[in-house]
Amino acid sequence: MRTDNYARQQYNRACQVMPGGVNSPVRAFQSVGGIPPFIQCAEGAYLLDSDGNRYIDYVGSWGAGILGHAAEEVVTAITAAAKKGVSFGAPTEHETEFAELLRTALPSLQCVRLMSSGSEATMTAVRLVRGYTHRPYIIKFAGGYHGHSDSLLADAGSGVAQLAGSTSSGLLNETQQYTLTAKYNDLNSVDALYHTHGDQIAAIIVEPIAGNMSCVPPLPDFLPSLRKRCDQHGSLLIFDEVMTGFRVDYGGAQTLYDITPDLTTLGKAIGGGLPLAALGGRRDIMTHLAPLGQVYQAGTLSGNPLAVAAGIASLKSLASDGFYQRLTKNTQHLVNEISHIARTENIPVHCQSVGGMFGLFFGVSEPITNYSQACATDKTLFTTFFHAMLNEGIYFAPSPLEAGFLSRAHSAKEIDATLAAVCKIFPTLRR
Ligand code: HOZ
């Protein structure tokens, strides 16, 4: 049974100096209630909190921790880099090496700009496509979350869904009016936007596997059709692979589904847990970025030596033979068994996974293909499940709209322990 006496004290103290006691909203447990664990340390697949509770972690720093916590090669690389200086604000050879590794993994990245967060990468992608095409409109999908820049917060999933009216305040109509929203997995909704806005659409930005409305894979025709629409209308296709890059395949979702986007954003797993993100794609578009072009983007910590060292070490390990086959197999095994237990216990749960990411949808038995379906799932049942599992030492994402993640460190032992907890908890969920 989880104890949270010390976490309560820490949470109250944190709330005095930080909004909601956290530095990123979903961590505050608003969607499930209760006090978040305050993490002391983490190793492999496990988190240890300040009350001494140990958890098998399926959040994995929201996907960044694909090698497991405190992965030896990453810690060694960061330590060695730190001894040589932690930030220069000037070019290093390692940045080039890292960009080359990215290009080898994702050949569509002919040219790459490194940054510190996925939000920066997507924000820059939007500015770049507008600068390149001289068109104002962007199409995104309801429930798609592309970081927190103004024009991309429209109809966003993840923590935005917790806000009153599911929208952020502080956004000017002027920044919103050029963001058009379509329905994920629904080509007709995209066509309708092209019908009304025609040749004014600069780009479609899409999570090729939606990961901020839990985990929603694309229907077979969806991504190829987006590629086609962009080509027909002279728009650019941006794959936001901040979550899926190096998560579902070494080459991301674009390799898995064999689609070549014009631009790609990366983050999370590429930095092995350090703040590292990238925007890359066609050279003729990327050269519109300053200093070559007129589209401005900059960052003091961009290409930071510690982050790049962690990134290089991570990508080398992720390239090892069979990594994604094992990760995918383990993830499939976890969700297949959860589905099996759910059927046996007569609990309505539908599970979806791609590569090392997954989603559990409570109160439904059919596949979830879009945001409105994801929002209509049984949040109360999820919340009961979430807290019961936390008490059993299993840490799933504290929201029904967040995806779950496995890492290299999740072995049969951790998966079996998780399934044993599910076997114990599901019968208690019957109403
Ligand atoms: N953007 C993450 C959810 N999809 C949350 C990041 C965090 O809280 O660290």
Side-chain angles (χ1 to χ4, degrees):
M1 190 74 175
R2 176 189 178 213
T3 54
D4 64 3
N5 296 334
Y6 200 45
R8 273 174 200 281
Q9 286 175 30
Q10 290 178 318
Y11 183 63
N12 290 335
R13 182 178 158 206
C15 286
Q16 303 303 311
V17 285
M18 295 184 283
V22 291
N23 286 307
S24 190
V26 188
R27 299 176 195 182
F29 271 37
Q30 267 192 341
S31 131
V32 291
I35 303 289
F38 274 63
I39 307 307
Q40 288 286 91
C41 59
E43 193 178 356
Y46 295 89
L47 295 174
L48 190 74
D49 75 10
S50 54
D51 285 275
N53 304 297
R54 194 167 181 252
Y55 308 94
I56 299 173
D57 179 17
Y58 288 101
V59 177
S61 189
W62 306 94
I66 192 162
L67 294 173
H69 294 291
E72 202 185 328
E73 64 273 57
V74 175
V75 174
T76 304
I78 299 169
T79 310
K83 288 182 180 156
K84 295 180 182 167
V86 297
S87 181
F88 311 125
T92 65
E93 187 182 347
H94 299 303
E95 291 160 79
T96 311
E97 182 188 349
F98 184 66
E100 286 167 352
L101 284 171
L102 290 179
R103 190 181 55 184
T104 305
L106 296 91
S108 74
L109 270 66
Q110 295 169 351
C111 195
V112 179
R113 169 67 53 90
L114 302 184
M115 311 174 188
S116 300
S117 77
S119 283
E120 265 185 89
T122 48
M123 176 183 73
T124 308
V126 168
R127 189 177 304 142
L128 180 57
V129 294
R130 286 181 173 146
Y132 179 82
T133 62
H134 302 288
R135 297 176 176 190
Y137 287 98
I138 301 291
I139 295 180
K140 74 178 284 292
F141 294 90
Y145 178 73
H146 307 284
H148 59 86
S149 64
D150 287 8
S151 63
L152 291 171
L153 277 177
D155 277 320
S158 188
V160 183
Q162 302 307 317
L163 299 173
S166 296
T167 183
S168 171
S169 63
L171 304 174
L172 301 176
N173 288 339
E174 288 79 353
T175 60
Q176 301 301 291
Q177 69 185 356
Y178 295 109
T179 306
L180 307 169
T181 309
K183 193 169 166 187
Y184 196 76
N185 274 326
D186 181 344
L187 246 314
N188 291 334
S189 67
V190 175
D191 286 340
L193 294 175
Y194 273 110
H195 186 71
T196 48
H197 295 86
D199 58 4
Q200 288 305 295
I201 296 170
I204 298 178
I205 183 166
V206 62
E207 293 173 83
I209 298 155
N212 288 284
M213 43 172 132
S214 191
C215 174
V216 178
L219 292 172
D221 239 19
F222 184 55
L223 299 175
S225 303
L226 293 185
R227 179 66 276 177
K228 235 179 265 165
R229 292 301 181 275
C230 285
D231 293 342
Q232 282 163 355
H233 295 277
S235 309
L236 301 175
L237 181 61
I238 309 168
F239 269 14
D240 178 353
E241 297 228 45
V242 167
M243 194 178 279
T244 53
F246 296 91
R247 164 59 56 189
V248 296
D249 188 277
Y250 192 65
Q254 56 194 267
T255 303
L256 200 64
Y257 299 123
D258 195 20
I259 309 284
T260 306
D262 299 298
L263 291 173
T264 299
T265 55
L266 294 164
K268 296 192 188 284
I270 68 166
L274 268 80
L276 185 58
L279 166 65
R282 276 170 43 192
R283 182 176 299 280
D284 63 316
I285 303 172
M286 289 297 292
T287 48
H288 280 64
L289 279 181
L292 294 182
Q294 279 291 112
V295 178
Y296 203 71
Q297 183 279 335
T300 299
L301 295 177
S302 293
N304 173 266
L306 300 196
V308 167
I312 292 172
S314 297
L315 263 47
K316 287 184 175 165
S317 287
L318 293 173
S320 66
D321 269 356
F323 183 93
Y324 289 93
Q325 284 89 330
R326 276 192 300 281
L327 188 70
T328 302
K329 198 168 135 223
N330 287 343
T331 309
Q332 273 170 358
H333 175 61
L334 176 75
V335 299
N336 287 347
E337 287 305 306
I338 293 177
S339 299
H340 176 71
I341 302 164
R343 276 194 302 277
T344 310
E345 296 299 337
N346 206 17
I347 304 294
V349 183
H350 180 75
C351 307
Q352 302 183 163
S353 78
V354 186
M357 61 192 276
F358 66 91
L360 309 178
F361 298 92
F362 283 79
V364 291
S365 46
E366 297 297 312
I368 298 292
T369 61
N370 62 48
Y371 189 48
S372 51
Q373 291 171 349
C375 289
T377 59
D378 190 335
K379 294 185 185 70
T380 310
L381 196 57
F382 170 82
T383 300
T384 310
F385 169 78
F386 169 82
H387 282 293
M389 291 297 281
L390 202 61
N391 268 328
E392 294 297 318
I394 314 291
Y395 184 58
F396 284 118
S399 159
L401 291 178
E402 298 293 342
F405 303 100
L406 268 73
S407 76
R408 175 179 67 182
H410 289 76
S411 67
K413 181 179 153 211
E414 285 75 30
I415 294 171
D416 288 350
T418 306
L419 294 172
V422 171
C423 278
K424 184 173 165 191
I425 297 308
F426 269 7
T428 68
L429 299 182
R430 275 197 226 110
R431 285 170 287 186

